[in-house]
Amino acid sequence: NAGVMQNPRHLVRRRGQEARLRCSPMKGHSHVYWYRQLPEEGLKFMVYLQKENIIDESGMPKERFSAEFPKEGPSILRIQQVVRGDSAAYFCASSPQGAGVNTEAFFGQGTRLTVV
Amino acid sequence: AQRVTQPEKLLSVFKGAPVELKCNYSYSGSPELFWYVQYSRQRLQLLLRHISRESIKGFTADLNKGETSFHLKKPFAQEEDSAMYYCALLTGGGNKLTFGTGTQLKVEL
């Protein structure tokens, strides 16, 4: 099992472009979480998805950000019309069931987005 | 609102010295706490969870509800302990982890 795979590892976008971040969960995992880490800050929860469903998007900015986890294929975090403030490391985690006290969430290595 | 505070950005100790990484939390519900570690160029991984009351790699952490703390301790630091450590609180009905800002532990020879 290769673990949670995120790509690309590094992404550079100009202001106004779209950024698409991909996350392939571990085999057998149907729950995906996205976190954002701004410089000098901790990881901040963005969204929790199960296959084809958004369960909790309370951490997602209201505009420009969207996430999906289709029946087939990776989970995608999409940022439209990127601005410099979107520059951050974006981490994905997956778990076989909802993360709880006895269920470990496994993290990917992250995608570092730089907006120029 | 829930919050996790790690007051130290960087902690530097000598090999063999005791280590204590501080973590305080704020949460109105019953807290479920974790420590995650990120070694250089590796992904974030779970170190230990309070409910297990386990010792991993010599590290322990005790939940102190009176002081709302979950400090990570190890009696004798090893060079391989050098890493970034994050304290995390499980909230949202068990759906999300709220992380602290992390403490970089540097163990010097």
Side-chain angles (χ1 to χ4, degrees), chain A residues 71-93:
Chain A
K71 190 176 179 182
E72 301 291 337
S75 174
I76 306 284
L77 179 67
R78 185 180 289 111
I79 311 171
Q80 294 178 302
Q81 299 173 345
V82 296
V83 300
R84 287 226 170 99
D86 297 332
S87 295
Y90 292 82
F91 290 92
C92 169

Side-chain angles (χ1 to χ4, degrees), chain A residues 25 29-34 47-56 67-71 73-75 93 95-99, chain B residues 95:
Chain A
H29 288 194
S30 58
H31 299 246
V32 165
Y33 312 80
W34 284 93
V47 63
Y48 163 40
L49 310 102
Q50 293 178 29
K51 283 284 187 182
E52 300 184 275
N53 287 307
I54 296 175
I55 306 303
D56 184 341
E68 62 178 13
F69 188 17
K71 190 176 179 182
S75 174
S95 62
Q97 59 198 57
Chain B
N95 291 336

Side-chain angles (χ1 to χ4, degrees), chain B:
Chain B
Q2 61 274 7
R3 177 177 287 183
V4 176
T5 304
Q6 292 181 252
E8 299 143 329
K9 199 170 176 178
L10 172 66
L11 182 64
S12 187
V13 301
F14 285 108
K15 180 181 174 181
V19 173
E20 183 179 55
L21 298 167
K22 292 186 168 51
C23 171
N24 288 89
Y25 67 91
S26 173
Y27 184 50
S28 57
S30 184
E32 302 292 351
L33 287 143
F34 304 78
W35 276 99
Y36 278 79
V37 61
Q38 187 172 28
Y39 300 103
S40 179
R41 296 181 184 162
Q42 294 186 28
R43 59 192 71 198
L44 196 64
Q45 57 188 283
L46 178 66
L47 179 63
L48 56 80
R49 62 191 95 194
H50 96 266
I51 197 168
S52 302
R53 303 186 68 80
E54 57 201 345
S55 174
I56 303 292
K57 298 184 180 182
F59 284 98
T60 58
D62 291 318
L63 176 61
N64 185 324
K65 290 186 179 180
E67 295 183 0
T68 60
S69 68
F70 187 57
H71 303 328
L72 184 69
K73 299 177 184 179
K74 184 169 182 176
F76 308 103
Q78 301 299 314
E79 193 180 355
E80 57 266 27
D81 296 329
S82 294
M84 192 74 172
Y85 291 82
Y86 292 94
C87 183
L89 170 68
L90 189 67
T91 61
N95 291 336
K96 40 184 151 175
L97 289 166
T98 297
F99 285 87
T101 49
T103 298
Q104 179 74 45
L105 174 64
K106 186 176 178 183
V107 180
E108 299 183 80
L109 299 175

